Amino acid sequence: MIDIHQSLPETVAVIADSTAAGTAATSLWRDRNFTTFWTGQAVSQLGAQLGQLAFPVLAVSVLQASEFEVGVLNAAGLAAFLIVGLPVGAWVDRWLKRRTMIIADLARMAAMAAVTLLWWGGILEIWHLYAISALVGTATVFFDVSYQSYVPVLVGSPHVTEANSKLESTAQIARIGGPAAGGALLTVVSAPVLFLGEAAGYLLSALFLARTRDSEERATPADRRPLGTEIKEGLAFVVRHPLISRIAACTAGMNFCGTLIFTLTPVLVLRDLGLGPQGVGLIMAAGAAGGLLGAVAATRLAARIGEGAVIPLCAVASSVFLVLVPAAAVVDQPAVSLVFLVISEFGFGVLVYNIMQLTMRQRVCPPRLLGRMNASIRFAVWGVMPLAALASGFLGEHIGLVPAISIGAGCSFLAALPVLLSPLRGMRRLPDQVLEA
């Protein structure tokens, strides 16, 4: 799936060429505020991976959730992007972004700890997970929009590319080790205990953010306009930009199709194939390893193929990898199914796609619109996901697991058309100058 699945912050990384990276790295390595921020996010990502593994295992293996209940659970976690995604962008542009991220982290910490407390009390039910997932999803909307808009504020425009590269590299390392560690821990502890690891990650993220210093100033109240007007301005920028609008359409379509597939993947892995939590952890770790490879290879691929041309190429490649998921569902040998799922998740085209389009968005968007632009994109590309999760659960129960997953894989090729049939296909270099709304 193209745009960071499962409440993960949206991937924002570009690996600079060796000369540029060597020059820029010196300043950021010596920037105490950036290294403090970077350390906090690295620890937070590791904790988040434990929780992401624990959620499907808890729902499917402990609470015996049905396909539809798994769909509702995923939808609850993503619904906030559809419900409050647009106003959050306008609010973030008005507020101090670091403070907003701290509050969001503390809210997520409390929610994750509540899962373990409810389990220890013997009263945990599936509806508790719905409510907690919705709360975490809402806090994540505020955090992610602030996060994407905060990096340019913290390091300045000349260092955005390198900062994103460092942040994403450690995030991918956490995504490799976190699921594998979580799968191993599940052999000795119960799934609800892993939620304490995620709670600890969010707490540490908040503490490191509190120690980070920046020069951001709150927007002047006199410059504010009605909320609806500010929301429309952000949406208009996305719709009118000739490249961002096509990328948003492609990403939204790919996320819808990917969610049809990945909502039911835990049911496939844990119940139908019987691969256990360790299988889920291995598959998630493979996805992170592919992401790390994508981060390393992105600049070289862009230089060889073209910064614009690599975007439609990676969109089509991602669809090809998705086909391996329904293929794994019909193979009789669990070991072969696991290999198919690992290869499917490993596909690194997703991260290369995100690397190129996200940094371009940060560069071409006026600073005053960053929050609203990012929120508008999130509304479009993540807002479809709760709808897809509900559709996935419904289809899984009524037409079967394999047909539902196959529909998602097949439709993903159609989702790639907006970028495949665009000027990106022949573009050697993406624009990097601010385009005023």
Side-chain angles (χ1 to χ4, degrees), residues 296-323:
V296 172
T299 299
R300 292 181 180 179
L301 282 174
R304 182 177 296 272
I305 300 170
E307 291 181 347
V310 78
I311 291 176
L313 177 65
C314 287
V316 174
S318 298
S319 298
V320 173
F321 278 103
L322 287 178
V323 173

Side-chain angles (χ1 to χ4, degrees), residues 108-418:
R108 294 191 291 186
M109 176 203 70
M112 292 296 100
V115 175
T116 305
L117 293 175
L118 289 168
W119 174 72
W120 274 338
I123 59 174
L124 182 64
E125 298 181 16
I126 189 68
W127 71 267
H128 291 128
L129 292 188
Y130 295 160
I132 290 169
S133 183
L135 174 60
V136 172
T138 301
T140 297
V141 174
F142 283 92
F143 185 95
D144 285 2
V145 173
S146 300
Y147 178 93
Q148 291 176 13
S149 306
Y150 183 67
V151 171
V153 172
L154 181 64
V155 302
S157 181
H159 299 292
V160 165
T161 294
E162 195 225 341
N164 284 335
S165 171
K166 284 177 163 47
L167 289 164
E168 186 56 31
S169 294
T170 50
Q172 291 298 333
I173 291 171
R175 290 170 194 149
I176 294 172
L185 285 172
L186 283 171
T187 63
V188 294
V189 301
S190 298
V193 177
L194 290 189
F195 284 90
L196 291 179
E198 186 165 9
Y202 289 136
L203 175 60
L204 288 171
S205 173
L207 291 175
F208 277 99
L209 280 168
R211 291 176 57 84
T212 303
R213 297 293 178 264
D214 57 64
S215 58
E216 183 184 16
E217 297 181 0
R218 189 190 298 270
T220 305
D223 294 336
R224 295 177 184 173
R225 289 166 295 166
L227 186 65
T229 301
E230 294 191 345
I231 291 173
K232 288 179 182 178
E233 191 175 10
L235 278 172
F237 180 83
V238 171
V239 171
R240 292 172 184 169
H241 195 284
L243 298 181
I244 291 179
S245 58
R246 288 180 174 272
I247 286 171
C250 172
T251 308
M254 292 295 288
N255 278 358
F256 187 91
C257 297
T259 303
L260 285 177
I261 296 171
F262 292 118
T263 295
L264 296 174
T265 299
V267 180
L268 172 67
V269 175
L270 294 169
R271 189 172 297 167
D272 287 27
L273 299 178
L275 298 175
Q278 294 76 21
V280 177
L282 179 60
I283 293 165
M284 292 174 65
L292 185 61
L293 176 62
V296 172
T299 299
R300 292 181 180 179
L301 282 174
R304 182 177 296 272
I305 300 170
E307 291 181 347
V310 78
I311 291 176
L313 177 65
C314 287
V316 174
S318 298
S319 298
V320 173
F321 278 103
L322 287 178
V323 173
L324 291 175
V325 181
V330 298
V331 173
D332 291 333
Q333 300 179 9
V336 177
S337 296
L338 179 61
V339 171
F340 280 8
L341 291 170
V342 166
I343 294 173
S344 175
E345 193 71 14
F346 182 82
F348 61 86
V350 171
L351 194 71
V352 176
Y353 175 99
N354 282 324
I355 283 170
M356 303 313 300
Q357 59 97 2
L358 283 169
T359 299
M360 181 197 74
R361 281 163 39 195
Q362 287 178 324
R363 288 174 174 175
V364 303
C365 182
R368 65 185 181 83
L369 283 177
L370 274 171
R372 282 167 283 171
M373 180 274 293
N374 286 324
S376 297
I377 292 287
R378 283 277 180 153
F379 173 78
V381 305
W382 283 61
V384 300
M385 292 167 70
L387 304 177
L390 290 174
S392 180
F394 177 84
L395 291 173
E397 284 204 352
H398 288 81
I399 67 173
L401 199 67
V402 177
I405 291 175
S406 300
I407 289 173
C411 291
S412 67
F413 289 94
L414 297 177
L417 290 178

Side-chain angles (χ1 to χ4, degrees), residues 17-28:
D17 61 67
S18 58
T19 302
T23 301
T26 303
S27 59
L28 282 189

